Amino acid sequence: MNSTEQPRISVRSPADLIAAVPYLLGFHPADSLVVLALRGRRIVFAARADLPPSGADAGPVARHLTAVIRRQSAEAATIIGYGPAARVTAAVDALRHAVGETSITVVDALRVGDGRYWSYVCADPGCCPPEGTPYDAAASQVTATAVFAGQVALPDRAALTARVAPVTGPAREAMRAATAQARARLGELLRSVPPEELSSARAVTRPAGAAHRAALEQTRRGERLSDQAVAWLGVLLTFLPARDDVWERTEGDDAHVDLWTDVFRRSEPELVAAPGSLLAFAAFRAGQGALAAVALERVLARQPDYSMALLLDDLLRQAVPPSRFTDWPTLNDKRATLPRRARRHRPR
């Protein structure tokens, strides 16, 4: 699920809508049910779900997507199903029914496949022929605008998942050695500090802050972090005060997303929870909900009780807009900015 607040994309036709979807989601959907929330003629939010299997009840998926767009204060919605008619039609019908029970107007409902689209709303063969309407997304002004703005649409969701996959082979072996060195370095650090600093957590928050600042500066310069820098940052982030201090400084610009993507991919499996969650938060703030979701999937598969990941997963499921975090972290208590359900998870 992605907010599209930055930038907003104007739509003027069904072909524009279809061209916009991959850039709103971050990848080209297949076998998917997508709903676009509209205010006026602008898309403000996009949500996607897998098509239910043939013959399965589409009601739960339809009700979930309807709840998502209602939280965006949508005035209208367009529904798009990707796949064969045998699977798409039942899912689109269920979603049209669920949205129809709200005050949101269904502007159009489409099926997309093989370079053509069909409307479930328009019955005029003059503008909506039964054989479908061909479209060329590459020729759309929406596509040109998205590319110019630096937005990327990966081939499919698998490509997005691969973007956060762990490194393997020699790179993994090098990180294993660097992590062992970082653990030894941490032990020496903790043995050398006064007891009062250990009790106040300054022994880890200060070096973590310094490591984070240095890594972010390198990332902004386009420099690759050394294995030692990644391992040292990852080891320090296992301490919750250090992670939370870095969390407060995590923004939604490209440098933060790139930094945490790199650290997440290269960290040893037992250290991925913090960098993966920080990546999810940076991606969420950047409006890259799909990237945040795949990062959280990997974190929670490894550590299903990691509360920061659970909290962020809750934010995505509730479709909380990133604009709720515009003033982050000016409030003393991070949880004061979160919706009530998300506050149930104490960060740990």
Side-chain angles (χ1 to χ4, degrees):
M1 300 171 192
N2 283 8
S3 167
T4 63
E5 294 172 349
Q6 296 181 345
R8 292 184 176 181
I9 297 177
S10 296
V11 294
R12 297 177 175 82
S13 68
D16 281 347
L17 286 168
I18 296 166
V21 168
Y23 297 94
L24 303 180
L25 298 178
F27 60 93
H28 290 265
D31 296 323
S32 298
L33 186 61
V34 173
V35 59
L36 305 176
L38 309 174
R39 295 192 200 122
R41 295 185 64 84
R42 289 186 179 272
I43 306 168
V44 295
F45 199 83
R48 188 207 71 92
D50 292 338
L51 280 178
S54 296
D57 180 12
V61 171
R63 289 189 291 272
H64 170 69
L65 291 177
T66 300
V68 165
I69 62 169
R70 288 186 69 184
R71 284 191 284 270
Q72 308 308 311
S73 300
E75 300 169 356
T78 290
I79 298 165
I80 307 178
Y82 294 81
R87 292 183 61 195
V88 168
T89 300
V92 169
D93 285 348
L95 186 52
R96 289 177 66 190
H97 176 75
V99 174
E101 293 184 334
T102 73
S103 60
I104 300 170
T105 301
V106 176
V107 176
D108 206 347
L110 307 171
R111 181 175 76 84
V112 175
D114 299 322
R116 293 176 178 268
Y117 66 85
W118 293 259
S119 174
Y120 291 97
V121 173
C122 175
D124 182 356
C127 62
C128 302
E131 68 274 16
T133 302
Y135 72 95
D136 182 3
S140 170
Q141 184 61 40
V142 168
T143 300
T145 300
V147 171
F148 183 77
Q151 293 182 285
V152 176
L154 296 174
D156 51 31
R157 195 173 189 273
L160 189 65
T161 302
R163 182 177 168 186
V164 299
V167 298
T168 58
R172 172 55 57 213
E173 293 174 9
M175 281 306 306
R176 189 172 298 119
T179 301
Q181 295 169 3
R183 292 188 190 281
R185 179 183 174 186
L186 177 63
E188 293 174 2
L189 171 68
L190 296 179
R191 286 190 294 270
S192 67
V193 299
E196 61 270 18
E197 288 206 13
L198 284 177
S199 62
S200 68
R202 286 178 297 180
V204 290
T205 56
R206 286 192 298 191
H212 174 239
R213 287 191 297 274
L216 191 59
E217 289 172 4
Q218 278 191 260
T219 302
R220 291 194 192 282
R221 293 195 299 266
E223 300 172 1
R224 184 180 186 274
L225 300 182
S226 69
D227 294 336
Q228 290 71 26
V230 171
W232 181 233
L233 185 55
V235 166
L236 290 169
L237 290 177
T238 61
F239 292 86
L240 299 188
R243 183 209 64 189
D244 288 350
D245 186 64
V246 171
W247 185 9
E248 290 182 353
R249 290 159 177 75
T250 298
E251 301 176 9
D253 62 20
D254 289 346
H256 285 83
V257 173
D258 292 345
L259 168 63
W260 294 120
T261 299
D262 185 35
V263 176
F264 185 37
R265 296 194 66 214
R266 294 165 65 189
S267 291
E268 284 292 275
E270 67 273 16
L271 301 180
V272 299
S277 298
L278 290 166
L279 168 58
F281 185 66
F284 163 74
R285 291 199 67 188
Q288 299 181 45
L291 177 59
V294 296
L296 291 173
E297 285 176 7
R298 190 176 150 215
V299 169
L300 292 170
R302 173 75 192 187
Q303 196 166 333
D305 63 345
Y306 194 71
S307 286
M308 181 180 175
L310 291 171
L311 183 151
L312 296 172
D313 185 62
D314 204 12
L315 291 182
L316 292 182
R317 293 180 185 279
Q318 293 187 65
V320 175
S323 59
R324 290 281 295 276
F325 292 79
T326 299
D327 297 327
W328 175 272
T330 56
L331 299 180
N332 290 329
D333 182 359
K334 289 188 287 291
R335 285 172 293 158
T337 69
L338 304 179
R340 187 179 303 275
R341 274 184 63 198
R343 277 182 252 153
R344 293 198 308 245
H345 301 296
R346 290 182 58 84
R348 60 180 175 86

